Amino acid sequence: MHIVYAVTTCSDRVYQQLFGNAPVKPAFQSQKYHRLLIEGLAAQARVDVVANPPVNPSLMETARISLPAETAGGAVYHYIPAIRNPLRKTLAVGFGTFFKTIHYARRDSAVVVDCLNRVAALAGMLGAKVRGCPCVGIVTDLPDMLGGGRFSKAMANFVIRHCTHYVLLTQAMNGYLNHDKKPYVILEGQSDIAMKAKLPSLEEKLQPRVCLYAGGVSKQYGLPQLVEGFLKADLPNVQLHIYGPGDYVEELKKVEDSRVFYGGMLLSSEIVEKERQATLLVNPRPTHEEYVKYSFPSKTMEYMASGTPVLTTVLPGMPKEYYPHVFFIQEETPEGITKALKEVFAHSDEALLDKGELARAFVLNTRNNVVQAGKILAMLKKQKGRKA
């Protein structure tokens, strides 16, 4: 099978080249999500990536960045030029994605688009229609529940309606948007199969013990409650480390307690190493908001694959198979977080490592990127077989 993957992304080599020393690293969560899925597909099919580099035009030092095609992770990346002028950039992404999709796709191909990456997704979807091949829309959030203008939401929803297949995060998503009962697969995310080679050990754990959060450092994700709950726990020999961007960063920097450390934004590979060195990884995301049942934080997979145990709220989008492998915050208040942290850190380092290793085995054996990508290919082959 042949896949044309049209998306805003680049290889890890190019990402390091463009943003390795940059204080702000754009689209780092999206970059990892698509990189893993591309590599998973490339392990089982031929993949051409029509790639729009995630370069912020306002930070470009030159008017244009042109990148040569390259092979990475088993896929071939064909880059659209990054252009500083916003209008010309939009036109380049739209027309470049459309014509490159037409060039590389055939009737027996399938086009994969990220429906929230609106311009590239629309162009890729139209290219798929011209070629008469399926278009798989990846939906990681519902446009109706995101910020942005009415036009942006309408454009994303237009792309979603006109895709022939879907990759969704939760079953609730399917009920919300797939009214025509098109073929779909639920992939709450994917863990990096390469992590199988990195075995966790007590020797690499930091002292004092570290409770770590990495991701969006935003108030809506429960970071103020996490900091307050951690300080109230007053745990001996434990620090709280936080990494990532968000609207809570400036307030976080003002916390006058040496046990709370903000480390800024790091490359994904650097974050993974920090996660492996930590004692506990935490996700305090509140679950009362409507959007939460349609989401599954990508950090959950990354956390679990590290081999460090995970403490999380009871996310409604989390399949029940995950429950035995994580610790839960039962009460989503600072006091509830304090209680959960005290219970977890009462365990020995050995017991926590055992918990983390079981979670690691679960996601790396059943949710690695090759397994998850295989579900997309199986969906396409099944549909193709019905039409034959």
Side-chain angles (χ1 to χ4, degrees), residues 102-316:
I102 291 175
H103 177 77
Y104 292 109
R106 300 291 182 267
R107 287 190 63 86
D108 60 346
S109 303
V111 176
V112 176
V113 300
D114 175 357
C115 294
L116 300 183
N117 186 199
R118 296 175 298 275
V119 175
L122 176 63
M125 181 269 291
L126 292 174
K129 285 190 176 297
V130 169
R131 281 300 185 189
C133 58
C135 182
V136 180
I138 299 174
V139 187
T140 53
D141 281 296
L142 297 178
D144 295 343
M145 297 184 183
L146 293 175
R150 184 180 302 176
F151 178 75
S152 295
K153 294 179 180 181
M155 189 172 174
N157 282 318
F158 178 85
V159 173
I160 290 171
R161 286 196 304 273
H162 288 84
C163 288
T164 60
H165 301 67
Y166 298 120
V167 174
L168 309 173
L169 291 189
T170 67
Q171 193 64 46
M173 263 190 174
N174 185 58
Y176 185 94
L177 60 80
N178 190 9
H179 305 300
D180 295 332
K181 301 188 184 306
K182 296 177 182 179
Y184 71 97
V185 62
I186 303 295
L187 302 184
E188 62 271 19
Q190 52 270 334
S191 60
D192 187 351
I193 195 170
M195 290 295 291
K196 285 189 174 184
K198 296 187 175 183
L199 300 176
S201 69
L202 289 177
E203 288 71 25
E204 66 186 355
K205 299 298 182 182
L206 294 174
Q207 291 294 335
R209 296 164 114 189
V210 171
C211 175
L212 184 145
Y213 172 89
V217 184
S218 300
K219 295 177 182 178
Q220 68 169 337
Y221 294 155
L223 270 297
Q225 291 80 10
L226 172 61
V227 172
E228 184 179 348
F230 172 80
L231 292 176
K232 284 184 175 180
D234 196 21
L235 297 162
N237 198 42
V238 180
Q239 296 179 348
L240 175 62
H241 292 192
I242 296 174
Y243 297 90
D247 59 21
Y248 182 61
V249 168
E250 292 308 312
E251 193 172 333
L252 177 62
K253 290 178 179 178
K254 296 176 183 177
V255 175
E256 295 181 354
D257 194 304
S258 60
R259 293 171 298 176
V260 178
F261 169 77
Y262 174 64
M265 288 184 64
L266 301 179
L267 292 170
S268 175
S269 58
E270 295 171 323
I271 287 294
V272 169
E273 287 307 305
K274 297 291 185 185
E275 290 167 350
R276 285 166 49 79
Q277 295 167 356
T279 305
L280 179 70
L281 305 175
V282 61
N283 181 14
R285 179 172 296 196
T287 62
H288 63 275
E289 297 286 350
E290 176 70 10
Y291 78 91
V292 177
K293 68 181 178 182
Y294 302 107
S295 69
F296 189 91
S298 59
K299 72 170 62 62
T300 304
M301 291 284 198
E302 181 177 287
Y303 277 4
M304 295 174 74
S306 73
T308 299
V310 178
L311 173 65
T312 177
T313 51
V314 187
L315 299 164

Side-chain angles (χ1 to χ4, degrees), residues 1-4 41-48 107-112 134 136 165 373-385:
M1 181 171 286
H2 176 234
I3 301 293
V4 176
L41 289 167
Q44 306 162 81
R46 185 164 58 91
V47 179
D48 284 290
R107 287 190 63 86
D108 60 346
S109 303
V111 176
V112 176
V136 180
H165 301 67
K375 296 175 183 177
I376 299 174
L377 297 175
M379 171 180 66
L380 290 167
K381 290 175 182 176
K382 182 178 181 181
Q383 196 67 15
K384 185 178 180 181

Side-chain angles (χ1 to χ4, degrees), residues 67-127:
L67 299 166
E70 64 171 338
T71 299
V76 181
Y77 285 73
H78 309 276
Y79 291 107
I80 294 164
I83 297 176
R84 186 165 55 194
N85 180 279
L87 177 59
R88 291 181 60 201
K89 173 183 170 63
T90 300
L91 293 173
V93 171
F95 286 104
T97 302
F98 177 72
F99 287 111
K100 282 183 180 291
T101 299
I102 291 175
H103 177 77
Y104 292 109
R106 300 291 182 267
R107 287 190 63 86
D108 60 346
S109 303
V111 176
V112 176
V113 300
D114 175 357
C115 294
L116 300 183
N117 186 199
R118 296 175 298 275
V119 175
L122 176 63
M125 181 269 291
L126 292 174

